[in-house]
Amino acid sequence: ANTMAANADEPELPDQFHPLIAWWAIELLHGHDEALVTGPALSHAREQKARYLRNMENSELPGIEIGGGPLA
């Protein structure tokens, strides 16, 4: 886990995925004050968060490998 407490702290994830943090924060903001992020802005934030998360998973997680011989 990466605790970010100071302004100079940087997340451990690769630079190209840093916007994921901002989109996630915008979505969380909706839960605390609905007047700030609603409608199209909330939908856009959720779409962007999902896109960055999907790209990060595809880039950073190990691939699935199938090994061994036939089952039958």
Side-chain angles (χ1 to χ4, degrees):
N2 184 208
T3 302
M4 296 172 44
N7 286 340
D9 290 348
E10 296 227 4
E12 292 177 359
L13 71 155
D15 290 348
Q16 71 265 29
F17 303 117
H18 287 188
L20 173 61
I21 297 168
W23 291 118
W24 210 310
I26 290 169
E27 185 179 17
L28 290 173
L29 182 62
H30 169 72
H32 293 285
D33 188 350
E34 292 183 34
L36 292 175
V37 182
T38 60
L42 179 59
S43 295
H44 181 70
R46 286 181 173 157
E47 290 167 6
Q48 292 301 310
K49 183 189 96 173
R51 182 174 67 91
Y52 275 96
L53 189 56
R54 185 173 49 253
N55 289 342
M56 185 176 71
E57 289 170 345
N58 290 336
S59 170
E60 301 301 311
L61 291 177
I64 296 174
E65 295 182 20
I66 299 175
L71 296 177

